[in-house]
Amino acid sequence: NKKNNDDDDEKEQKGSGNPNQSDVIQCSNKGPTAILEAHLIDFQGTSYVTVDASKSMDTDGDQCVSFLFSFGDGTPPVYISSPTISRPYGKSGAYQAVVTVLDKHGLSNTAFVNVNIDEPSPYMESISSQSDIVNK
C-alpha cells in the first residue's frame, strides 16, 4: 500500500499527464526598438539640436517609459521620461547623439544620430539600431 502512495506522489510531481493541459505557462517579453531623429536650428551663431525618440516602439505594446540621452560632446547624459529634448552645441564639429529607450519591464535598446555642425549648413544622418546590431 505504501508503495502505491509513493507512485501517486511521483505522478503528481510530473504534472497532470493530460497533453491538452499546460502545467507551466511561459511568456516572453520583447524589448523596445529605439529610433532617433535630430533636427538642427541655428540661432544667433549657436546650433541647437532637438533629438526625438518619439517613434521608438515596443512590439509587445509596452510603453517606452524612459529615455537616456547623450549628446557626444562631453556633457553628462540626461535621463528623462520625455522622448524629445533640445540643447545647444556651442562649437562646430562631429557629434554622436545617442538615446537608450527603456520599456516598463526594464528592457532597453539604443539608437544614435550623427550630427556634424559646420558652417553654414549642418549634416545629419538618422540611424535606427536594434539590440542585436553593433553600432558603428
Side-chain angles (χ1 to χ4, degrees):
N1 224 354
K2 185 165 177 103
K3 188 173 186 179
N4 287 340
N5 287 342
D6 289 341
D7 289 342
D8 288 342
D9 288 343
E10 211 172 284
K11 285 181 186 176
E12 288 175 14
Q13 291 173 358
K14 290 181 182 178
S16 66
N18 183 347
N20 296 322
Q21 179 180 351
S22 285
D23 295 317
V24 176
I25 298 173
Q26 294 181 346
C27 298
S28 63
N29 182 43
K30 296 179 182 174
T33 298
I35 299 171
L36 186 62
E37 298 177 342
H39 307 283
L40 197 65
I41 300 170
D42 189 43
F43 180 72
Q44 297 180 347
T46 303
S47 295
Y48 291 83
V49 67
T50 298
V51 287
D52 183 356
S54 63
K55 292 182 182 176
S56 299
M57 64 188 134
D58 190 306
T59 56
D60 296 334
D62 296 331
Q63 184 178 7
C64 297
V65 295
S66 60
F67 303 84
L68 179 64
F69 290 98
S70 176
F71 293 92
D73 61 352
T75 58
V78 179
Y79 185 75
I80 57 176
S81 60
S82 170
T84 305
I85 189 170
S86 296
R87 67 174 306 282
Y89 280 92
K91 298 178 184 177
S92 15
Y95 302 94
Q96 187 176 74
V98 180
V99 66
T100 300
V101 177
L102 282 84
D103 71 9
K104 69 180 185 178
H105 298 287
L107 297 176
S108 66
N109 191 241
T110 299
F112 64 90
V113 175
N114 291 321
V115 179
N116 291 321
I117 300 178
D118 296 324
E119 293 297 325
S121 63
Y123 168 77
M124 292 180 290
E125 179 184 352
S126 254
I127 298 173
S128 171
S129 67
Q130 295 180 5
S131 56
D132 57 348
I133 296 174
V134 176
N135 291 335
K136 297 178 185 176

